[in-house]
Amino acid sequence: MKHQDEKVMNNENLTNKAKHEKAMKHSATTAEMSHDWDEVYARLIASHEGLTEEQSARLNSSLILLMLKHVPELEQIQAYLDESRAFSLATPLEA
């Protein structure tokens, strides 16, 4: 029975490893983009100019959903959600 339990654990580890490798492959592709991230941020901020708080929240929601349409794996979407939630709960750094 111990041998069978080890086999199940090894299969679970392989599954987790495969998921991690898929996520890293997606991240590597993203990292290869040659965007000027300061320009991207400036454009994001500019897109909110003149909007009410509610309109700004809707813009963010719409942008997120449009971008997530390009993420093929549900596990990767969940990883992004988890990371974003952790970021939002973290104590902001003082300048």
Side-chain angles (χ1 to χ4, degrees):
M1 191 64 160
K2 182 178 176 184
H3 179 69
Q4 186 177 7
D5 290 341
E6 288 175 3
K7 186 176 180 180
V8 169
M9 288 179 63
N10 285 338
N11 285 340
E12 288 176 4
N13 287 338
L14 286 174
T15 301
N16 289 336
K17 184 178 178 184
K19 287 179 184 178
H20 178 71
E21 287 173 356
K22 280 184 183 180
M24 294 310 295
K25 181 179 179 184
H26 182 74
S27 295
T29 303
T30 304
E32 293 168 4
M33 287 190 261
S34 60
H35 296 309
D36 174 355
W37 292 108
D38 289 334
E39 178 65 21
V40 171
Y41 181 76
R43 289 180 184 207
L44 176 61
I45 296 304
S47 70
H48 288 267
E49 289 179 13
L51 298 180
T52 66
E53 210 171 301
E54 182 182 337
Q55 291 169 327
S56 185
R58 286 199 326 251
L59 183 150
N60 282 337
S61 296
S62 175
L63 178 62
I64 291 165
L65 291 172
L66 287 168
M67 294 172 78
L68 287 176
K69 287 171 55 174
H70 299 282
V71 180
E73 299 293 330
L74 184 57
E75 293 85 8
Q76 185 62 44
I77 291 172
Q78 187 61 54
Y80 290 149
L81 293 170
D82 293 343
E83 186 175 344
S84 295
R85 181 171 172 80
F87 179 80
S88 70
L89 295 172
T91 304
L93 297 175
E94 292 186 25

